[in-house]
Amino acid sequence: MNVIHIVKQRRREMNPEGKRVAIMAVGERLFARKGYAGTSIADIAKAAGVAVGSVYRLFPDKSSLLAALHQRMEQRFVEVMRQAWMSVDAYEDKFRPLIDAMLLEAERTQEIMPLYNMTQDLVGASDYMPGVQMMTAIEALYGGGVEAGVFRALPPGILGPFAHAMVEGGMRAWMMDPTPIHRQKVASELLIVFQKAFLRPSA
Amino acid sequence: MNVIHIVKQRRREMNPEGKRVAIMAVGERLFARKGYAGTSIADIAKAAGVAVGSVYRLFPDKSSLLAALHQRMEQRFVEVMRQAWMSVDAYEDKFRPLIDAMLLEAERTQEIMPLYNMTQDLVGASDYMPGVQMMTAIEALYGGGVEAGVFRALPPGILGPFAHAMVEGGMRAWMMDPTPIHRQKVASELLIVFQKAFLRPSA
Amino acid sequence: MNVIHIVKQRRREMNPEGKRVAIMAVGERLFARKGYAGTSIADIAKAAGVAVGSVYRLFPDKSSLLAALHQRMEQRFVEVMRQAWMSVDAYEDKFRPLIDAMLLEAERTQEIMPLYNMTQDLVGASDYMPGVQMMTAIEALYGGGVEAGVFRALPPGILGPFAHAMVEGGMRAWMMDPTPIHRQKVASELLIVFQKAFLRPSA
Amino acid sequence: MNVIHIVKQRRREMNPEGKRVAIMAVGERLFARKGYAGTSIADIAKAAGVAVGSVYRLFPDKSSLLAALHQRMEQRFVEVMRQAWMSVDAYEDKFRPLIDAMLLEAERTQEIMPLYNMTQDLVGASDYMPGVQMMTAIEALYGGGVEAGVFRALPPGILGPFAHAMVEGGMRAWMMDPTPIHRQKVASELLIVFQKAFLRPSA
DNA sequence: TATGAATGAGGCTTCATTCAT
DNA sequence: TATGAATGAAGCCTCATTCAT
């Protein structure tokens, strides 16, 4: 019961936001490297230089941390996509910057790519739905091109999975040989596929 | 809680191979339903009607069971693909049966689809490399079409991930609305994408 | 993940029932001595010479162990009461052996008396209702005396708590000075109170 | 979840004594409702509208807060008893107001009755001995009646536990059916028992 | 060869307590 | 004096794996 606590605290060494940032940075890396189940909260806390309890003050439980990381990844990716998409006016020219940006982002974050597949561990964790953000964004961006008469119209519920899958395919291809030269090839091929698959034939 | 129950049999009633079969059948379903970490060997043993020790005589450890299941899934899929591919002579006509067969197989095994994403839990388990079989098979089948001058030649290390991704995209699209009508649409779109993306323009 | 387990097992050193017995004996003592919250399952396992996991195979959780102990205490007490009650025929003579037996039992189990007060920790643990057994038994035994015209009839829902309380009062009084002489005094006084309180005036 | 909320006040709005009052009021209810172990200092602080640290400035540790609450309960009860006792002159008439007052107080404080059983958590906490106050008071009040020749003399160390137990029995009986009618019955029976048990036969 | 009881490391999570601000 | 973020010990419980029978 009345336990003695000998505490050696070094508080305020990091501002609150810095703590969150550190935990997420470390969590991202460790989850990606050792898997979700293979990474303990204690591992993360130690690597982030905080106490276990601090992790729990920022995230209600382990799966919520993963959810936050997953969501952030998606957000970043969506943002990158959106910016690339907007960087060019003509719909027929949007695929190239999109693909470049995506592969670049994938390169930048290759270390944490495994997180994308950890959806299994997210089921039931909060109300976050992995993948939804990205699919929604894709459909929205693409929709403009359809209205403009440049892209093929696809039945609902198909474009999102297709495009998402192609991007994943590109990333995987790139990761199988992560050299700049190979990335060029992957980008070229991906561009061809996108153009053939999604541009209206007449266009 | 749809628990799996294979009726407890009098000992010796199940030959070793039957045991392996039962364990794999149950493991497949439980892993898919409750996740790898969420399923214990004891769960599997009980549902399969065998002793925990028996599972360990057939599989050295938990991850090996998953590896075996994953490998079998891939094998089945590859086999289905191969048969569909062979069922038609002209390369330009091979995509349609391929896609139909794949979506059919996906439908048949939709319950265990989550296994495909459990590669994270396989890292380091034996020397099995998830995904390799399928990519290899795809490259081999496709290669014939390239040699025949019907398919576009792709740089090495690209076709596998691309095709694989497209199939996954198709499966995901199909699973978002698992009705026969939607499967038709998915199949149609997938066919278009495959043809546009992989047939040589001249063809 | 794939953790190495170096196990030094000394199995079968104790038959299964012996293990349950040992755990309950130890749990009883430790809970009584250090409180429910102050006793960890690890403490109990160590003192009982078994592994933590073994405790959990016998009892689903910590509170279930307490429930089992509490229930057993009550059962024993009820049994002792019943035997004392039955050892004499005339209702007017039943109180003396009852009181003697109860105080004797209390003496025998004084070390674990604190368990009686741990009902707080039992709320919600299984469907066991602490105290119900004893009240029920008391009402049943007493009822015979009422029918025989020897005991005062009390309104329903009153005898149980009253008698139970008196017994507790006797035990507490005895425990304040746990000497044989004092027990004699307590028994005498308790007898007087019982007789005055519960015998019909005319009797 | 009937959570207690004392509206967050502008700082400094509550003087130290008010804080102590608020903490005790909240602690009483939360301990009673959720148990000692089930209530955290943070719970109490939040519900009382103060900071955790403030609780620790007023009470050295968690068990001291419980001790203070327990002690206050006893004090209140003793005070109520004493006033009832004094409200009547003749010893033979003191039992009735005593019983009425006690049951009334029990009714008033039924919500926090569980605190009475939390003595286990008080062991070793400060030098407060739960129950002593009440026993002492009982013996003192009763002693007057013995000297006056109205009450039976009981050996030392017996009256306290007995009377205390009877009161508890009455409260439990009352709580099993907390209606005014039942309280009348309980009071009547308790009165009979007290009179028979404690008045000198000649009286 | 089959069984399943036994083991105990290790994970997640809580929360009493401290103390910088 | 008040605050509440930070700390980390410690507890409950799970479950992969072993091995006596």
Side-chain angles (χ1 to χ4, degrees), chain A residues 7-22:
Chain A
V7 189
K8 30 185 162 163
Q9 315 197 30
R10 289 172 310 154
R11 290 97 159 310
R12 218 33 50 103
E13 190 143 326
M14 205 182 278
N15 64 356
E17 209 37 49
K19 200 164 279 198
R20 186 183 199 90
V21 167

mmCIF file of all heavy atoms in Angstrom, chain A residues 7-22:
data_model
loop_
_atom_site.group_PDB
_atom_site.id
_atom_site.type_symbol
_atom_site.label_atom_id
_atom_site.label_comp_id
_atom_site.label_asym_id
_atom_site.label_seq_id
_atom_site.Cartn_x
_atom_site.Cartn_y
_atom_site.Cartn_z
ATOM 1 N N VAL A 7 11.618 9.853 -6.539
ATOM 2 C CA VAL A 7 11.457 10.343 -7.894
ATOM 3 C C VAL A 7 12.613 11.266 -8.241
ATOM 4 O O VAL A 7 12.956 12.147 -7.470
ATOM 5 C CB VAL A 7 10.137 11.110 -8.031
ATOM 6 C CG1 VAL A 7 9.878 11.432 -9.485
ATOM 7 C CG2 VAL A 7 9.017 10.303 -7.442
ATOM 8 N N LYS A 8 13.175 11.023 -9.370
ATOM 9 C CA LYS A 8 14.190 11.962 -9.872
ATOM 10 C C LYS A 8 13.620 12.578 -11.132
ATOM 11 O O LYS A 8 13.657 11.980 -12.193
ATOM 12 C CB LYS A 8 15.492 11.242 -10.177
ATOM 13 C CG LYS A 8 15.263 9.806 -10.609
ATOM 14 C CD LYS A 8 16.531 9.035 -10.791
ATOM 15 C CE LYS A 8 16.164 7.551 -10.765
ATOM 16 N NZ LYS A 8 16.957 6.596 -11.214
ATOM 17 N N GLN A 9 13.075 13.729 -10.988
ATOM 18 C CA GLN A 9 12.374 14.316 -12.105
ATOM 19 C C GLN A 9 13.232 15.377 -12.766
ATOM 20 O O GLN A 9 13.954 16.107 -12.134
ATOM 21 C CB GLN A 9 11.070 14.940 -11.621
ATOM 22 C CG GLN A 9 10.336 14.008 -10.669
ATOM 23 C CD GLN A 9 8.901 14.395 -10.498
ATOM 24 O OE1 GLN A 9 8.302 14.946 -11.396
ATOM 25 N NE2 GLN A 9 8.344 14.087 -9.351
ATOM 26 N N ARG A 10 13.087 15.420 -14.036
ATOM 27 C CA ARG A 10 13.693 16.515 -14.781
ATOM 28 C C ARG A 10 12.567 17.050 -15.632
ATOM 29 O O ARG A 10 12.445 16.724 -16.791
ATOM 30 C CB ARG A 10 14.815 16.016 -15.678
ATOM 31 C CG ARG A 10 16.074 15.575 -14.944
ATOM 32 C CD ARG A 10 16.994 14.922 -15.940
ATOM 33 N NE ARG A 10 16.245 13.909 -16.700
ATOM 34 C CZ ARG A 10 16.554 13.510 -17.920
ATOM 35 N NH1 ARG A 10 17.575 14.027 -18.541
ATOM 36 N NH2 ARG A 10 15.830 12.593 -18.525
ATOM 37 N N ARG A 11 11.709 17.830 -14.989
ATOM 38 C CA ARG A 11 10.534 18.263 -15.707
ATOM 39 C C ARG A 11 10.798 19.465 -16.599
ATOM 40 O O ARG A 11 11.802 20.102 -16.516
ATOM 41 C CB ARG A 11 9.454 18.689 -14.717
ATOM 42 C CG ARG A 11 8.845 17.623 -13.946
ATOM 43 C CD ARG A 11 9.525 17.544 -12.583
ATOM 44 N NE ARG A 11 8.713 16.879 -11.576
ATOM 45 C CZ ARG A 11 7.480 17.180 -11.331
ATOM 46 N NH1 ARG A 11 6.868 18.063 -12.064
ATOM 47 N NH2 ARG A 11 6.851 16.557 -10.366
ATOM 48 N N ARG A 12 9.799 19.746 -17.349
ATOM 49 C CA ARG A 12 9.754 20.950 -18.162
ATOM 50 C C ARG A 12 10.937 21.029 -19.119
ATOM 51 O O ARG A 12 11.284 22.052 -19.626
ATOM 52 C CB ARG A 12 9.765 22.166 -17.221
ATOM 53 C CG ARG A 12 8.922 23.321 -17.621
ATOM 54 C CD ARG A 12 7.664 23.007 -18.350
ATOM 55 N NE ARG A 12 6.777 21.997 -17.761
ATOM 56 C CZ ARG A 12 5.668 22.267 -17.107
ATOM 57 N NH1 ARG A 12 5.286 23.493 -16.955
ATOM 58 N NH2 ARG A 12 4.906 21.317 -16.648
ATOM 59 N N GLU A 13 11.587 19.878 -19.294
ATOM 60 C CA GLU A 13 12.747 19.880 -20.170
ATOM 61 C C GLU A 13 12.306 19.997 -21.621
ATOM 62 O O GLU A 13 13.087 20.234 -22.517
ATOM 63 C CB GLU A 13 13.527 18.575 -19.970
ATOM 64 C CG GLU A 13 14.869 18.572 -20.645
ATOM 65 C CD GLU A 13 15.856 17.830 -19.769
ATOM 66 O OE1 GLU A 13 15.730 17.909 -18.526
ATOM 67 O OE2 GLU A 13 16.733 17.172 -20.317
ATOM 68 N N MET A 14 11.022 19.769 -21.798
ATOM 69 C CA MET A 14 10.506 19.726 -23.155
ATOM 70 C C MET A 14 9.124 20.370 -23.080
ATOM 71 O O MET A 14 8.363 20.063 -22.172
ATOM 72 C CB MET A 14 10.352 18.253 -23.520
ATOM 73 C CG MET A 14 10.405 17.942 -24.986
ATOM 74 S SD MET A 14 10.131 16.168 -25.178
ATOM 75 C CE MET A 14 11.766 15.487 -24.862
ATOM 76 N N ASN A 15 8.828 21.237 -23.975
ATOM 77 C CA ASN A 15 7.500 21.830 -23.903
ATOM 78 C C ASN A 15 6.457 20.784 -24.279
ATOM 79 O O ASN A 15 6.775 19.774 -24.910
ATOM 80 C CB ASN A 15 7.408 23.068 -24.800
ATOM 81 C CG ASN A 15 7.576 22.709 -26.261
ATOM 82 O OD1 ASN A 15 7.838 21.551 -26.568
ATOM 83 N ND2 ASN A 15 7.467 23.671 -27.132
ATOM 84 N N PRO A 16 5.243 20.994 -23.863
ATOM 85 C CA PRO A 16 4.217 19.954 -24.012
ATOM 86 C C PRO A 16 4.099 19.468 -25.454
ATOM 87 O O PRO A 16 4.024 18.274 -25.726
ATOM 88 C CB PRO A 16 2.937 20.659 -23.570
ATOM 89 C CG PRO A 16 3.374 21.826 -22.774
ATOM 90 C CD PRO A 16 4.719 22.223 -23.268
ATOM 91 N N GLU A 17 4.103 20.409 -26.366
ATOM 92 C CA GLU A 17 3.938 19.997 -27.749
ATOM 93 C C GLU A 17 5.151 19.187 -28.209
ATOM 94 O O GLU A 17 5.023 18.215 -28.947
ATOM 95 C CB GLU A 17 3.740 21.237 -28.643
ATOM 96 C CG GLU A 17 2.915 20.970 -29.849
ATOM 97 C CD GLU A 17 1.791 19.986 -29.563
ATOM 98 O OE1 GLU A 17 1.029 20.133 -28.582
ATOM 99 O OE2 GLU A 17 1.683 19.019 -30.337
ATOM 100 N N GLY A 18 6.309 19.592 -27.693
ATOM 101 C CA GLY A 18 7.522 18.852 -28.032
ATOM 102 C C GLY A 18 7.419 17.409 -27.588
ATOM 103 O O GLY A 18 7.903 16.497 -28.259
ATOM 104 N N LYS A 19 6.763 17.204 -26.488
ATOM 105 C CA LYS A 19 6.623 15.843 -25.990
ATOM 106 C C LYS A 19 5.756 15.018 -26.929
ATOM 107 O O LYS A 19 6.095 13.893 -27.279
ATOM 108 C CB LYS A 19 6.000 15.901 -24.593
ATOM 109 C CG LYS A 19 6.245 14.668 -23.800
ATOM 110 C CD LYS A 19 5.959 14.897 -22.336
ATOM 111 C CE LYS A 19 7.125 15.571 -21.641
ATOM 112 N NZ LYS A 19 7.061 15.434 -20.176
ATOM 113 N N ARG A 20 4.684 15.590 -27.313
ATOM 114 C CA ARG A 20 3.808 14.891 -28.247
ATOM 115 C C ARG A 20 4.557 14.582 -29.545
ATOM 116 O O ARG A 20 4.475 13.484 -30.092
ATOM 117 C CB ARG A 20 2.591 15.752 -28.554
ATOM 118 C CG ARG A 20 1.564 15.052 -29.390
ATOM 119 C CD ARG A 20 0.383 15.948 -29.739
ATOM 120 N NE ARG A 20 -0.749 15.121 -30.133
ATOM 121 C CZ ARG A 20 -1.658 14.671 -29.303
ATOM 122 N NH1 ARG A 20 -1.578 14.960 -28.033
ATOM 123 N NH2 ARG A 20 -2.635 13.901 -29.740
ATOM 124 N N VAL A 21 5.282 15.573 -29.991
ATOM 125 C CA VAL A 21 6.041 15.392 -31.224
ATOM 126 C C VAL A 21 7.057 14.270 -31.075
ATOM 127 O O VAL A 21 7.181 13.398 -31.942
ATOM 128 C CB VAL A 21 6.753 16.718 -31.598
ATOM 129 C CG1 VAL A 21 7.787 16.471 -32.683
ATOM 130 C CG2 VAL A 21 5.732 17.752 -32.038
ATOM 131 N N ALA A 22 7.748 14.282 -29.961
ATOM 132 C CA ALA A 22 8.789 13.273 -29.759
ATOM 133 C C ALA A 22 8.173 11.877 -29.709
ATOM 134 O O ALA A 22 8.682 10.929 -30.313
ATOM 135 C CB ALA A 22 9.542 13.566 -28.461
#
